[in-house]
Amino acid sequence: MWYAIEGYDGPDVLARRTEARAAHLARLNALKDQGRLLLAGPCPAIDAEDPGPAGFTGSIVIAEFPSLADARAWAQADPYIAAGVYQRVEVRPFRQVLP
C-alpha cells in the first residue's frame, strides 16, 4: 500500500537540512530503485522554486510499504529526524486515484 509521509521542519533548520540532505536523498533513491517511490520533495517556505534563505516548511514523500508500521519505522529513521530538521512527522495511508 502507498503511504504519505509528511515531515514538518522546525524553525531555523536550513543549515541542518543542507548537511543531512545527501543521506536523506540516498534513502529516497533506494526506494526509487526498488520501484516503491511515487514522489518526494520539499515544500518551499515561500512561493518560489528556490526559496533561498527562507528555506522549507517540510517535505512530502509518497512511497509503498508493506504496512503502516513499516512506513512509520522508515520515516522515523530519516536522517532529517536525526539531524533535528523535522519537528514532527505524520504518516498515513494514501490511495492514488490520478494519474
Side-chain angles (χ1 to χ4, degrees):
M1 180 162 191
W2 295 107
Y3 293 90
I5 300 169
E6 295 180 78
Y8 296 87
D9 286 17
D12 302 316
V13 295
L14 184 57
R16 284 186 251 163
R17 179 181 263 274
T18 301
E19 290 171 14
R21 187 169 189 263
H24 172 77
L25 290 178
R27 295 178 80 236
L28 292 171
N29 279 314
L31 286 177
K32 184 183 89 170
D33 293 346
Q34 296 166 14
R36 297 172 45 208
L37 182 66
L38 185 62
L39 66 86
C43 301
I46 60 173
D47 189 13
E49 183 75 21
D50 179 359
F56 301 90
T57 60
S59 304
I60 298 172
V61 174
I62 299 179
E64 188 176 36
F65 293 93
S67 69
L68 179 58
D70 290 323
R72 286 182 174 150
W74 185 91
Q76 287 301 312
D78 195 290
Y80 282 174
I81 289 182
V85 175
Y86 291 156
Q87 65 182 2
R88 69 183 168 91
V89 175
E90 294 182 8
V91 181
R92 58 185 186 250
F94 176 82
R95 194 182 86 177
Q96 183 180 5
V97 175
L98 294 171

